[in-house]
Amino acid sequence: MSDSNAITLTPANIAELCERVDHAQRTATAMPKLTDDFPSMTLADGYAVQQALRHKHLATGARQAGWKAGLTSKAKMEQMGVHVPSIGFLMADMSRPEGSTVRTDDLVHPRVECEVAFVTKADLSGSDVTREDVLAATHFVMPAIEIIDSRFSGFKFDLPSVVADNCSSARYVLGGRPRYAEDIDLSTLGVVMEKNGQPIAMGASAAVMGHPAEAVALLVKVLDELGEKLPAGSLVLSGGITEAIAVQDGDHVIARYQELGTVAVNFGN
Ligand code: 0L1
Ligand code: MG
């Protein structure tokens, strides 16, 4: 597999893989990694499939809420055996209310991550955007739980396949207390995640590329390579502070953030 920026798939291949991923996501059915059939698939091919999927959602009239950065911590990259962060899109209908119950029957391998969510007030674009640019364009930040769901059987995948699968995006829950970014130290925020009343993962926001705004800057650079920008009013999930924790029917998860309050979600059917 090459990480070259060249698209090698034909438009017909991209359309076929888009349908394959969409079916796996909609029916919660595991599929083999895409590189089993397309071994020379590149990272650019993965993004081409992801963009086709995004356009398919938009064509139905669904609203895009924003984007997410994934695989942003060294621990997460090691856990997943990949070496660069990646991005995915967030549709408004992936959002679930704080304290609600997420259906596990609609998901293949659900796992939860604690993330800082950014809401922007100015457009961000270009290949040289910095952490400072991101902070200046940030309206406020909120605590979030991202529910990721890799659709690959046996949980076996590589970077082009994960990117095509929209970086495992599935659901997200916002909650807690929105704060202006300038009122808190975003690099040292602590978070403790509890599952069924037991602390199960903890970390500090510096785990996300030293500062979560760095992950947002990286996301804008990837968008630039895709010919896109981050419009004002976007929601951005900046990447998991903690490792991803598997969840199942009956689980209750609460993330307790320093300065930002708590976010809770239940899993059931
Ligand atoms: O949100 C993320 O960090 C994306 C993770 C993609 C790989 C996985 O399913 O763990
Ligand atoms: Mg994540």
Side-chain angles (χ1 to χ4, degrees), residues 68-70 113 115 146 148 239-240:
K68 65 169 255 188
E113 297 183 322
E115 309 208 3
E146 183 184 19
I148 51 175

Side-chain angles (χ1 to χ4, degrees), residues 167-244:
C167 219
S168 306
S169 303
R171 308 280 183 269
Y172 57 91
V173 180
L174 304 171
R177 189 150 83 95
R179 300 285 304 266
Y180 291 119
E182 57 270 29
D183 290 346
I184 55 179
D185 180 355
L186 270 179
S187 62
T188 60
L189 275 186
V191 61
V192 176
M193 179 158 52
E194 293 174 10
K195 185 166 94 170
N196 304 330
Q198 299 299 319
I200 189 147
M202 55 204 73
S205 51
V208 179
M209 300 182 67
H211 190 296
E214 289 289 352
V216 182
L218 174 127
L219 181 142
V220 174
K221 290 176 194 170
V222 177
L223 285 178
D224 186 62
E225 286 175 22
L226 298 175
E228 304 280 344
K229 64 177 186 178
L230 187 69
S234 293
L235 170 73
V236 180
L237 295 181
S238 57
I241 297 171
T242 53
E243 76 239 55

